[in-house]
Every structure is written in C-alpha cells, then in structure tokens.
Amino acid sequence: MSQTDFPFFWAIVPAAGVGARMRADRPKQYLELAGRTILEHSLECFLDHPQLKQLVISLSVDDPFWPSLSCADDPRITRANGGKERADSVLSALLKLAELGARPHDWVLVHDAARPNLSRFDLDLLLGELADDAVGGLLAVPARDTLKRIRSDGRVAETVDRSLIWQAYTPQMFRFGALHRALADALVAGAAITDEASAMEWAGLAPRLVEGRADNLKVTRPEDLDWLRQRWSTRG
C-alpha cells in the first residue's frame, strides 16, 4: 500500500497523567530519553506522517513543562485541557477536534504519551489494515507468558488459557463520531473505561486486534525507561 492509499487521520495524545509509579520529580512523559523527552518521541511518529490532519494533546491546565518543548509551537499540534482520567482527557480532545472540523466518519488515532517506541511500520500497518473496517481497532500483542488468576489471599486460583489473551497497545483507531458517542455515553453511565477500545466494547461493538511489535512498550516503571535507554544507546 502506497502512502497515498493510507487514510487521512486525526491523532489524540492524552498527556495529563502524573505517572506516580515512576517515582520521579516530574510526570513520566517529560523524563529524558536519548536527548529528548519521552513525550517528544511519542509524538514524532505521527508528526512525520503525511496523512496526519492535526494532533490534539490533552495536558493539565497548569502543566509547566510543555511550553519548554520545541514542538509546543508546532502548528500541527493543538492543546486541550486534560481531565482526571484518561477518558476525560480523550473526550476533551475529541471536542477540540470537532472545533477543528473533524467529521463523524473521520479516523481518530489515540496514542499513549508514554509509549515512545512506536514504529512507522506498525503505524502504517494499523492504518492500512483498518482503513475500511466497520468498527476500527488497535495494535495488540498476544500474551507470551503463562497467565495466572489470583485468589484474594495471593495464591493461584487457576492458570488462564493464554491463547485467548492479548495485551492492548496503542494507537487505537476509531471513527470520530462513534468514539465520541461511546466515550460520552459510557462516562455518563459511570462505566469503567480503561482505553478507547473498552468504550467501544461497552457500546456493543467489537474492535479488531492488529498484531504489532512487542517493543512498543508503555513506560510505567523505572525499569521500562532503563530498558529503552539501553536499547537506544546508539541512537542519534
């Protein structure tokens, strides 16, 4: 599939979290990785893509770090106010996209602010595989390790069939109108929404899983960042 065959898309990056498990002096998306912040690396794959229409980043109202980044003045990036939870931040960004002219059937890709190792191959794979999909979907990876269900006392209750389990990654790609309705309705209903796919599932839809690279990891703990720094030690 050539570049012109990929659909145009909008992108959302919710970046209002504090990342408490990193035990750092700033939100994890602003920690340094290979000479830039994690957030800058997470944005790069989208900003380099010719089919991007606009990227909306949801930030805390009092975020003191964003203005110091060189990409803060990029005309392809629009800022929205982040919320308490991820779903609130994504919904805020969707409202901003509506102001920018997003139409109901436009594709929207939502990506984690602390997932800096997304490859261009995986991004194009997602865009190509889902271009004509009725629902949309997400990058994901089949579970590799043996999985255990735990009891309340910390002991194993059973071994789970891992062939039925996939790890959900991002980007997650859905139509603007359908995602907006699903998120808004789920939040009003008080549903537990952990990602965009879970909102679509709550609305009765079945997102498609597109297998991506396992190294598209989300930086959650210090060892995740250590691993990436070692991997990128020779990167420019």
Side-chain angles (χ1 to χ4, degrees), residues 37-153:
T37 63
I38 290 173
L39 179 57
E40 288 173 290
H41 291 295
S42 298
L43 299 177
E44 181 179 21
C45 197
F46 299 97
L47 297 177
D48 284 345
H49 204 288
Q51 302 301 90
L52 175 71
K53 294 175 72 70
Q54 189 80 6
L55 186 151
V56 175
I57 184 166
S58 297
L59 300 164
S60 297
V61 176
D62 57 352
D63 186 319
F65 303 102
W66 171 255
S68 66
L69 304 186
S70 59
C71 61
D73 296 323
D74 192 311
R76 296 166 296 177
I77 300 177
T78 299
R79 179 172 178 170
N81 290 334
K84 181 179 180 181
E85 303 294 340
R86 175 193 178 94
D88 300 310
S89 292
V90 173
L91 186 57
S92 175
L94 288 169
L95 294 174
K96 184 64 69 172
L97 284 184
E99 296 175 10
L100 294 171
R103 300 167 300 177
H105 284 85
D106 286 350
W107 285 113
V108 177
L109 273 65
V110 185
H111 187 58
D112 295 324
R115 202 178 288 272
N117 204 38
L118 172 66
S119 72
R120 176 61 177 272
F121 178 86
D122 271 9
L123 177 55
D124 284 347
L125 177 66
L126 186 73
L127 290 168
E129 289 290 321
L130 298 180
D132 299 315
D133 196 90
V135 176
L138 61 151
L139 288 178
V141 174
R144 295 180 176 181
D145 298 321
T146 299
L147 301 172
K148 305 292 186 181
R149 191 184 307 280
I150 191 173
R151 300 189 323 206
S152 59
D153 62 358

Side-chain angles (χ1 to χ4, degrees), residues 179-192:
L179 180 58
H180 183 271
R181 285 194 303 274
L183 268 178
D185 291 348
L187 288 175
V188 168

